[in-house]
Amino acid sequence: MAPTDSVNFEALQILLKASSREQVVALCQQASTLGQAKSVPTQTVAQVSRALSVEPTEARQLTQALQGVISACLQQDLCDSASIQQIFPADFHQNLKSLLVGVLAEHLSQWKTQAINSQVSLPQLVDFDWRVDMKTSADSVGHMSAATCLLQLKVQNVPKQVDRVPPVDVVNVELSKETLDTMLDGLGKIRDQLSSVAAKP
């Protein structure tokens, strides 16, 4: 069965009720966060229903149709307008097709990355910051100072709901120069191994 055989293209006509291109983009973005989930969350159905002033059944059908189209494009690795147009039936509404093709061509790369990241089952590092601090301590001999690195890691948790962005935790770590040297040496070896794997045909 072709990736688009199960897509209800007729349900996509509901998008003709959208008030702007931005609203269509938002609805596509919302559908993309669901991945290949079998059911559409009630909250998402309610949001789409209110946005387009349609019945919940229509909102669910539209969201599932958008899921199907986005999934088909990702599975076939489509990225340009010419190839994306081919997945729509010949008798599909021309203006709506042009709009959807434009939106898909613009955002598919982002949604592909999103889909890949959603398959990772461990928390992800999304950002980090650091600064060097002087740590002073007192002992029987006198005051002693040592430079330390204060490292702040921002880690995004594993998503538990398909329509919710997981929270970001902040972890602060203090590293001595010796510990930092050891860590950098280990990261260098990891980088070299990843580069070696990526270079293999």
Side-chain angles (χ1 to χ4, degrees):
M1 184 173 68
T4 56
D5 284 353
S6 60
V7 177
N8 181 0
F9 284 98
E10 185 176 348
L12 293 177
Q13 308 277 348
I14 299 171
L15 285 173
L16 293 171
K17 297 185 178 183
S19 59
S20 64
R21 184 181 189 276
E22 288 70 28
Q23 189 174 41
V24 173
V25 172
L27 292 168
C28 290
Q29 178 65 51
Q30 191 172 42
S32 75
T33 64
L34 302 178
Q36 298 187 35
K38 300 298 183 182
S39 62
V40 181
T42 303
Q43 182 181 1
T44 300
V45 171
Q47 290 173 347
V48 175
S49 180
R50 286 195 302 270
L52 298 178
S53 299
V54 298
E55 294 296 321
T57 299
E58 293 178 296
R60 179 176 288 104
Q61 291 174 344
L62 170 60
T63 304
Q64 290 174 330
L66 288 172
Q67 276 183 273
V69 169
I70 292 171
S71 178
C73 290
L74 293 177
Q75 287 180 32
Q76 299 179 63
D77 200 23
L78 307 181
C79 57
D80 61 277
S81 299
S83 58
I84 295 172
Q85 285 185 21
Q86 302 304 312
I87 70 173
F88 290 91
D91 59 350
F92 191 79
H93 193 287
Q94 288 301 310
N95 290 340
L96 181 56
K97 177 167 72 174
S98 297
L99 174 60
L100 283 172
V101 168
V103 171
L104 290 167
E106 182 180 349
H107 294 278
L108 274 174
S109 176
Q110 170 193 339
W111 296 335
K112 180 178 181 179
T113 300
Q114 177 180 289
I116 292 173
N117 289 341
S118 68
Q119 297 175 6
V120 179
S121 59
L122 295 174
Q124 299 181 67
L125 177 66
V126 295
D127 196 10
F128 72 93
D129 194 11
W130 60 272
R131 67 183 175 89
V132 173
D133 193 27
M134 294 300 296
K135 189 173 183 180
T136 304
S137 62
D139 58 18
S140 57
V141 177
H143 293 284
M144 298 180 64
S145 297
T148 61
C149 173
L150 301 180
L151 181 64
Q152 183 182 82
L153 305 174
K154 293 184 179 180
V155 181
Q156 189 168 58
N157 291 315
V158 178
K160 296 181 180 179
Q161 292 179 277
V162 293
D163 61 338
R164 298 284 182 86
V165 177
V168 174
D169 289 336
V170 176
V171 180
N172 294 305
V173 181
E174 182 178 5
L175 303 170
S176 66
K177 182 181 182 303
E178 292 74 17
T179 303
L180 182 60
D181 286 341
T182 301
M183 185 179 78
L184 291 175
D185 181 61
L187 290 174
K189 293 177 180 177
I190 294 172
R191 179 196 57 203
D192 293 343
Q193 187 168 350
L194 287 175
S195 298
S196 175
V197 172
K200 291 181 179 179

